[in-house]
Structures are given as C-alpha cells and as structure tokens.
Amino acid sequence: VVQTWHGTPLGRFGGCLADTLYADHQYLATLPRRSAQWSVLVSPSRFATPWLRRSLGYEGEVLEAGSPANDVLFPPDREKTAEEVRRGLGIPEDHRVVLYAPTYRDHLAQPPAASGDRAAPGPYRWDPALDPGALARALGPGHTVLVRRHPRVTGGVPAGPGVLDVSHHAGAARLLLIADVLVTDYAGLTFDFALTGRPMLFHTYDLEHYRDTVRGFCLDFETRAPGPLLVTTDEVAQALRDTGALAARHADAYESFRRDYCDLDDGGAAARVADRLLADAP
C-alpha cells in the first residue's frame, strides 16, 4: 500500500491540529490505524517529510521521491499537453489565464451526509471572499479566470463572462500547465505551481484568523510567501495588471521558496516510486 499524499503542506494538518478550535477529533483518532496500513509513504519534499510523519502518526518507511502528480509539469512535450488542455476547455489561444484556487476553511465545515468512519473531514461550504466575476470584469477582454474549488468544498461557482469553473477537471497539475498566474490563499498548490516559475498572488484577507485560530502554518508564511499578500478583489486585480514588476520584486523570495520547499520534483517522481515497488517484486 503506497500513500502518495497530495503535496507539500502549507497549513498545519492531521495530528498537529489537535489543539485547535476546529479539530475533528473523531477523524484524528483514526489516523494511527490508517497510517499503520501503509507500506510506504511518498514524500513530495524533504521539508514535508517530518510534517507528514508527525501529522499522520506514521512510523513506517518514507520514500522522498517528489510528487508523481507533478511529473506532468516537466516532460519535453508539456507545451503540447498545455495546448490540448486549453483547447479542451475552449480557452482562446491569445487569452491570459488566471487560475484562482483557494483552499477550504475549517470553520465552514458542514455536517457529513451520513454518520460513521470518514476518510477525511468535511465537506466545507464554498464561500470565497474574492469575486471571480468582478475580477474578470476588472481585467477585461483577453483574460480567462479559471476557478477551482478545493475537492472537499461543495457549492457552485457563479458563471459569467470570462469565468470558467474547472473544479471537476481531472488533475490540478494539468491546469497549472496553462495558468499564466496563480491566485490562491493558503493552498498547498503553491508548492506545485512554484515549479513553473510563474507569478503567484495570495489573497490573504483572513490571515490573522487562519494563522492564530483556524489552522496555522507549517512555515513562516508571511516571511516566505513567494508573492504579494493581498486583501481585496481590487488589490488582486491591480496586482494582476503588473505581475512583471511584482515578479521582479519577489524574485529572491520565490527562488528561496523553490530551493527550500520544492527540492525533489524533477519529472521523475513516478519512476522512483515504481522502482521502489519493483524492488520488492518476486
């Protein structure tokens, strides 16, 4: 049994949430039993390894291989794949693509549909503070705003000119291929998108609440963020009009972020996991 997890963590998770206001103690109590079933845990980065062990209560083998899901960001034919994704979504060739992908909020959890053992907490209510429609209108023609809800979040994304809901698109990494800029908040997708070298903006309207009350961070996010921390939709729109200057301003932070937290991904993660499995084959 191989646990590939889903990326390097930015917000605290698992057992490290036991002392927080919104901890799901029913779920946390199942973690030791779940992790005991794994033969090997695949870590996406050396930074993530101790966090995964501690937060998941895992004492077994860890394979520091990188994230297999991110291999799609590296092959020589990634441009061809990107063209296929754009064409499949109907995005004009000359459009600049803005991907808005926020994480969920623990305090917006909804009651589960049925009682019993759950694979993970949630679901959570879709209640974004950023208005994708207003953002698309502010950016004007020549832009497409892609909106991707976190998989644990339920609720519809309002349709509108220049806005496309890609919440059900298979594989977030394929969307990263076509995004010219990422707008997020505290999503672990930050580490994956950093592999592209493209600009990131952070909509951190509730930073103090998220940091001090809801979840907290696995790193000093305010110091290490590889892009500007913004509060309003207007600030995000203004920043998107001048990402070149912002990228230059945050170039050193971006590079150090990639060096310290994205050290294993190189396009060969899946092969390393396969090699590890084949090493045990009869």
Side-chain angles (χ1 to χ4, degrees):
V1 177
V2 179
Q3 170 59 268
T4 60
W5 201 236
H6 50 264
T8 296
L10 180 54
R12 293 196 302 157
F13 66 107
C16 289
L17 295 178
D19 61 346
T20 64
L21 181 62
Y22 300 102
D24 185 328
H25 294 284
Q26 178 184 344
Y27 166 69
L28 295 179
T30 70
L31 283 177
R33 176 177 60 80
R34 294 179 187 280
S35 64
Q37 300 175 48
W38 307 336
S39 306
V40 59
L41 169 64
V42 177
S43 174
S45 66
R46 293 183 178 88
F47 164 78
T49 298
W51 279 101
L52 291 171
R53 281 196 178 281
R54 182 165 59 250
S55 300
L56 300 175
Y58 180 68
E59 300 179 354
E61 177 186 350
V62 173
L63 177 63
E64 292 183 326
S67 176
N70 287 337
D71 284 356
V72 69
L73 300 175
F74 291 91
D77 61 349
R78 62 183 177 272
E79 295 299 329
K80 179 181 178 181
T81 303
E83 291 175 7
E84 293 173 352
V85 175
R86 287 180 69 108
R87 188 164 54 248
L89 292 172
I91 301 173
E93 292 183 6
D94 60 340
H95 271 215
R96 183 184 185 216
V97 177
V98 176
L99 175 61
Y100 173 48
T103 191
Y104 59 89
R105 297 296 190 274
D106 297 82
H107 58 284
L108 297 179
Q110 303 180 89
S115 60
D117 193 12
R118 291 173 292 171
Y124 301 91
R125 189 171 74 252
W126 171 249
D127 188 26
L130 186 144
D131 184 340
L135 185 62
R137 290 191 295 273
L139 294 175
H143 292 81
T144 296
V145 177
L146 305 181
V147 181
R148 185 172 181 85
R149 289 184 285 101
H150 189 280
R152 295 182 186 170
V153 171
T154 60
V157 175
V163 177
L164 186 60
D165 183 1
V166 292
S167 301
H168 299 292
H169 190 275
R174 292 171 65 86
L175 295 174
L176 302 186
L177 272 178
I178 67 170
D180 295 297
V181 57
L182 173 68
V183 178
T184 185
D185 42 22
Y186 321 115
L189 204 65
T190 296
F191 299 94
D192 306 321
F193 195 72
L195 300 170
T196 71
R198 299 170 192 158
M200 284 184 272
L201 311 178
F202 297 91
H203 184 225
T204 55
Y205 62 95
D206 59 347
L207 177 60
E208 291 79 11
H209 184 234
Y210 190 90
R211 180 195 64 208
D212 301 333
T213 305
V214 177
R215 183 166 284 248
F217 299 107
C218 297
L219 52 88
D220 186 349
F221 176 66
E222 293 160 84
T223 300
R224 301 303 307 270
L229 308 184
L230 308 166
V231 177
T232 67
T233 299
D234 287 343
E235 287 180 356
V236 173
Q238 182 60 41
L240 286 170
R241 297 188 188 102
D242 195 17
T243 52
L246 286 174
R249 194 176 309 147
H250 293 273
D252 290 342
Y254 201 122
E255 182 56 34
S256 66
F257 186 89
R258 287 191 4 153
R259 181 189 64 240
D260 294 343
Y261 307 122
C262 312
D263 57 326
L264 298 178
D265 279 314
D266 58 7
R272 286 188 283 273
V273 174
D275 287 344
R276 172 63 189 84
L277 295 181
L278 292 172
D280 283 345

